Amino acid sequence: MEQIENQTPEKEQELEAGRMPFMAHLVELRKRLIYSVLAVAVGFGICFPFKEKLLAFIIDPLKAVLPEGTKLVYIALPEAFFTYLKISILAGILLAMPVIFYQIWRFVGPGLYQHEKKYAAFFVLASSFLFLGGAVFGYGVVFPFGFQFFASLQTQDIELLPRLKDYFSLTVRLLIAFGATFELPVVIFILARMGLVTDKTLRKNRKWAFLMAFVVGAILTPADWISQVAMAIPLIVLFEISIWVAKFFGKKKKPETDEEAPAERPAEKDEKGKKE
């Protein structure tokens, strides 16, 4: 209520100009979804001719820890074909990521002030960079440690024969999880701009954030402690970055004016009069 009362007429007019009826929101959402799907379709068309190379790139971390000559197997007849389709779609989504984030920003843009809309480029670039950075980190750092751990469980009685479908499903879930986790600074930026979190709040809860980093690392990575720590460390670094993001980009509180200052109570006035 205080936030609404403290809005200037100019800001009220600015918000009113950006408001749309409910049906208009649905039409706008459909429009942004269509653009996003078209961008993914274009990315899929670009990536599908390179499906074999993309699949070889995905399975490289596993092949590096398997005995020489070991291959991934597929059991169902269409399994390899559908895997090629899925990996091409995944690559198309990664390629279209800037367009997707831009469409998200265009959808929420009408509900923002004019001075807040200038962060569109930051949102698009930062979101795309962090998501891809998380996927690259998972692929280049966590996968080698995790797959080495799984491969080390082989004995004379059991042998690892990885199935193509299962391996691809596992890697996709992990890559998406790493990419989403690395979006933490962008999420904190949005919450700070909305006034829901502050840098002081984040600093106060730093120890819980560190604990959650190791919990998330234990959930998203295999059972070995090395990959868990490798996942937790960048999360802690991202949290520290988020504190500074909240500090510099968070919503600033307006200083109280004389009109907003609390009125003196009668007892306080009488005491002042006696002193005088």
Side-chain angles (χ1 to χ4, degrees):
M1 292 296 296
E2 293 179 359
Q3 185 177 356
I4 296 176
E5 292 175 357
N6 293 335
Q7 287 177 352
T8 62
E10 293 80 6
K11 287 188 175 182
E12 290 179 358
Q13 293 175 3
E14 189 178 332
L15 276 179
E16 190 65 33
R19 288 172 182 162
M20 294 187 298
F22 178 72
M23 289 304 298
H25 277 292
L26 292 180
V27 172
E28 183 69 14
L29 177 61
R30 183 183 65 177
K31 180 181 178 181
R32 299 305 161 194
L33 288 175
I34 290 174
Y35 286 154
S36 299
V37 171
L38 288 176
V40 173
V42 172
F44 170 80
I46 295 173
C47 297
F48 187 73
F50 306 97
K51 56 185 181 300
E52 290 89 355
K53 293 183 178 180
L54 290 173
L55 183 59
F57 178 76
I58 286 292
I59 65 177
D60 270 349
L62 180 60
K63 288 181 63 178
V65 300
L66 292 177
E68 187 175 354
T70 305
K71 298 180 180 180
L72 276 73
V73 299
Y74 66 95
I75 300 173
L77 291 177
E79 185 175 326
F81 173 73
F82 283 119
T83 302
Y84 282 133
L85 287 179
K86 291 176 183 178
I87 196 171
S88 300
I89 293 173
L90 176 63
I93 292 174
L94 294 177
L95 198 62
M97 198 64 68
V99 178
I100 295 173
F101 282 120
Y102 177 72
Q103 297 305 319
I104 294 174
W105 184 264
R106 289 294 302 272
F107 178 71
V108 302
L112 302 176
Y113 293 124
Q114 190 63 36
H115 69 278
E116 292 175 332
K117 295 180 181 179
K118 64 183 180 180
Y119 296 112
F122 168 80
F123 175 81
V124 173
L125 293 176
S127 300
S128 303
F129 176 78
L130 289 173
F131 190 92
L132 293 174
V136 170
F137 175 82
Y139 176 88
V141 177
V142 179
F143 281 12
F145 289 113
F147 296 159
Q148 179 65 49
F149 169 77
F150 290 134
S152 66
L153 299 177
Q154 295 184 94
T155 65
Q156 294 181 351
D157 300 320
I158 58 175
E159 181 182 2
L160 175 61
L161 295 175
R163 182 179 175 182
L164 179 62
K165 178 182 177 181
D166 296 336
Y167 173 75
F168 180 76
S169 298
L170 173 65
T171 54
V172 169
R173 287 198 300 268
L174 291 176
L175 291 176
I176 293 176
F178 292 136
T181 303
F182 272 56
E183 295 288 341
L184 178 62
V186 175
V187 174
I188 294 298
F189 169 80
I190 295 174
L191 295 177
R193 292 301 304 171
M194 295 172 65
L196 298 178
V197 298
T198 63
D199 60 306
K200 293 181 180 179
T201 304
L202 296 175
R203 287 193 179 94
K204 184 178 179 181
N205 295 280
R206 179 184 273 123
K207 59 182 180 181
W208 298 110
F210 287 2
L211 176 62
M212 286 302 301
F214 283 95
V215 171
V216 172
I219 294 173
L220 296 183
T221 60
D224 63 303
W225 66 271
I226 297 178
S227 57
Q228 293 175 8
V229 173
M231 182 67 201
I233 291 176
L235 288 179
I236 293 173
V237 174
L238 289 171
F239 180 80
E240 294 296 329
I241 294 174
S242 299
I243 293 177
W244 290 99
V245 169
K247 180 178 179 62
F248 288 108
F249 297 101
K251 192 172 184 179
K252 308 299 181 183
K253 291 185 178 180
K254 294 182 179 180
E256 289 186 351
T257 60
D258 294 338
E259 296 179 356
E260 296 174 345
E264 293 182 353
R265 290 178 294 184
E268 292 176 353
K269 289 184 178 180
D270 294 342
E271 291 178 1
K272 286 184 179 180
K274 291 179 181 179
K275 290 180 181 180
E276 291 175 357

